[in-house]
Amino acid sequence: MKASIAAKLEQLVRRLEELNRLLSAEGATRDMEQYRRLSKEHADLEPLAELYRSFRQTEQDEAAALEMAADADMRSYAEAEHKLARERLARIEAELHKRLLPTDPNDERNLFLEIRAGTGGDESALFAGDLFRMYTRYAERKRWQVEIISESPGEMGGYKEIIARVIGQGAYSRLKFESGGHRVQRVPETETQGRVHTSACTVAVLPEAERIDNVVLNPAELRIDTFRASGAGGQHVNKTESAIRITHVPTGLVVECQDARSQHKNKERALAVLAARIKDRQEREQQAKQAATRKSLIGTGERSERIRTYNFPQGRVTEHRINLTLYKIADIVDGELDEIVDALAAEHQAEQLAQMAEAA
C-alpha cells in the first residue's frame, strides 16, 4: 500500500476515535442536529476503519509466516500461510481503494429524464417513444415510480419530446450515464423498399434538486405565462388556462408543464424541473473549469455525444464509450439495462481508481 493511502487511512481512524469521544461525552445530545451529523459520519467511517484494521492484522500475519519459514520443519506450512496472507492483503487493499473513492452526492436522488427526437423525422419520434418505454420498463423492474411532467407527441406516434420524473432509491446512480446521443438503425414502418434508416434521439438525466431553494430562483428573474393545455383532456383543457410556461430570464431556460389539471400543480412541477436544469448547468460549468487532462472513459455527458447504437437488423446494442456489444436488443429495449449499467459503472470506477493511483 502506498504511504499516502496509508496516511489517509490512519487519519480516518484517528477521526473515528475522536467521534467516539464526542458521541460518548456528557451532553452530546444537547444539539441533536450536530449529534445526528456526527453519528452519520461515525457510521460512514466505522466499516472503513474496521477494514483497515483487518489489513494491518493481515500484514502482521504475513510477517509472522515469514519468520516461521525460517524453521525448516514449518517451512511448507509457513509458505502456504504466507501465500494466503498475500492474497488476503490484495483483496482488502482493493476494497479499501474502492471505499476511498469520492461518492457522487446526487446518487441517491430522484431524477428528471428528458428525451428529445433528433434527426430522422417521424422515425426519430417513434424511437424516442421506444426509449421512454425502455426506461419505464427498467423503472418498473426497480420498483421506481415514473411521473410524466411534459410531453409533445409525434405525428405518427412516439414523442418529439418527453420529460418525466423518476422517483426511487438510487435512481440517479443507475441512470446517470444515459445522457447523450442514442442512435437507432432499423427499417421504418413507412419504408416500402425495406431500407435501413438511421435516426437519433438525445437523452438527458438530471438529478432532482433536494430543495428548490438549493438553486437561487429569484422571482424577479422568472417570467411566468399561463395558457390553455393542448391535447386530450375534455372540456377542462379547452376552457381553463392551467398550463404553465416559466422562463428563467438570466439563462433563457424555458420549462412548460401542462399535464396536471391544477395550475398550481403545474407551476410546482415546472419550478422543480427548472431548478434541476439550472443546477445541471451550474455543475457542468464547474466541471468544465475543473476538467482533468485525462478524458473520462464514461464521457462528458454532453448531449451531442453518440453514446449508444441500437441496430435492429443485426439484433445488437453497442455501447460506444466502453466498446461493449450485446446481441440481445429485444431484452434491452424491454428494460433489461443492468448489464449495460453495471459495465458503465465498473469502467467509471476503474477510471477513478487510476486517477487515485496517479495522485497518490
Side-chain angles (χ1 to χ4, degrees):
M1 178 180 292
K2 290 190 175 183
S4 58
I5 300 292
K8 184 172 184 178
L9 288 165
E10 292 286 357
Q11 182 182 7
L12 293 176
V13 169
R14 289 194 296 272
R15 174 58 178 167
L16 184 64
E17 293 170 352
E18 181 185 6
L19 288 170
N20 283 328
R21 291 193 296 272
L22 291 171
L23 290 170
S24 61
E26 185 178 352
T29 57
R30 287 174 187 166
D31 186 340
M32 286 305 299
E33 183 176 347
Q34 180 178 341
Y35 184 79
R36 282 191 291 268
R37 179 176 58 80
L38 294 177
S39 296
K40 184 181 184 307
E41 186 181 356
H42 184 279
D44 290 341
L45 286 181
E46 192 168 31
L48 185 62
E50 182 61 33
L51 195 61
Y52 182 55
R53 282 192 285 268
S54 295
F55 182 84
R56 287 304 188 200
Q57 180 60 54
T58 306
E59 280 188 324
Q60 293 176 16
D61 294 343
E62 180 192 21
L66 283 174
E67 289 182 9
M68 196 186 306
D71 185 340
D73 294 335
M74 300 293 292
R75 185 169 300 154
S76 178
Y77 172 77
E79 287 176 351
E81 288 296 303
H82 180 262
K83 181 181 178 182
L84 288 174
R86 293 295 298 171
E87 291 172 352
R88 178 170 168 75
L89 275 177
R91 288 197 302 271
I92 297 176
E93 184 172 0
E95 183 63 27
L96 282 168
H97 284 174
K98 289 180 183 179
R99 296 200 182 198
L100 283 172
L101 292 176
T103 57
D104 188 335
N106 296 320
D107 272 352
E108 297 306 311
R109 292 185 179 172
N110 303 326
L111 61 90
F112 289 107
L113 172 68
E114 303 183 358
I115 304 174
R116 294 179 178 83
T119 56
D122 292 332
E123 171 64 10
S124 179
L126 291 171
F127 180 43
D130 294 338
L131 287 176
F132 180 65
R133 180 184 179 278
M134 178 180 76
Y135 291 124
T136 300
R137 293 283 289 125
Y138 184 67
E140 289 173 358
R141 296 171 192 273
K142 297 296 182 184
R143 301 185 184 277
W144 299 335
Q145 297 177 34
V146 178
E147 295 179 353
I148 294 178
I149 301 297
S150 176
E151 58 182 308
S152 177
E155 294 179 6
M156 297 186 63
Y159 303 99
K160 295 177 183 176
E161 175 185 277
I162 183 164
I163 301 173
R165 179 174 178 239
V166 180
I167 308 159
Q169 186 74 21
Y172 183 73
S173 70
R174 297 299 290 169
L175 291 178
K176 62 184 178 181
F177 299 127
E178 291 299 302
S179 294
H182 293 241
R183 186 176 69 174
V184 64
Q185 295 171 329
R186 64 185 175 187
V187 180
E189 295 180 9
T190 55
E191 170 58 53
T192 58
Q193 303 297 320
R195 292 173 298 186
V196 174
H197 287 223
T198 298
S199 303
C201 291
T202 58
V203 173
V205 176
L206 313 177
E208 182 180 42
E210 189 173 351
R211 293 188 305 271
I212 288 181
D213 56 6
N214 280 357
V215 175
V216 178
L217 289 178
N218 184 346
E221 297 177 341
L222 301 178
R223 187 171 69 246
I224 301 176
D225 301 308
T226 61
F227 59 98
R228 293 182 182 179
S230 60
Q235 294 181 353
H236 171 85
V237 167
N238 297 324
K239 294 183 178 180
T240 308
E241 291 193 343
S242 59
I244 289 287
R245 179 187 299 111
I246 301 179
T247 304
H248 186 241
V249 178
T251 62
L253 291 172
V254 179
V255 176
E256 291 184 1
C257 189
Q258 56 178 303
D259 253 42
R261 287 178 173 268
S262 161
Q263 185 184 104
H264 175 75
K265 190 69 174 176
N266 280 329
K267 181 179 178 181
E268 180 182 327
R269 289 180 174 180
L271 285 171
V273 174
L274 181 60
R277 286 187 183 176
I278 292 174
K279 181 180 178 184
D280 177 64
R281 173 175 287 199
Q282 291 172 345
E283 288 184 348
R284 284 191 287 117
E285 288 175 351
Q286 183 181 23
Q287 289 168 2
K289 293 176 183 176
Q290 299 175 346
T293 53
R294 293 182 65 182
K295 183 179 178 182
S296 169
L297 291 175
I298 300 304
T300 64
E302 291 295 326
R303 300 173 191 183
S304 61
E305 288 186 343
R306 183 195 68 180
I307 64 168
R308 191 175 303 151
T309 295
Y310 305 75
N311 187 303
F312 280 82
Q314 298 179 14
R316 65 173 170 82
V317 175
T318 300
E319 174 52 61
H320 300 289
R321 292 168 292 181
I322 55 175
N323 296 320
L324 172 69
T325 297
L326 300 173
Y327 288 89
K328 48 175 70 175
I329 194 168
D331 294 335
I332 291 170
V333 297
D334 192 46
E336 293 187 12
L337 291 173
D338 274 334
E339 190 168 354
I340 293 177
V341 169
D342 289 341
L344 288 167
E347 287 287 354
H348 180 59
Q349 187 177 80
E351 176 70 6
Q352 287 183 303
L353 287 169
Q355 291 174 347
M356 178 190 291
E358 285 183 359

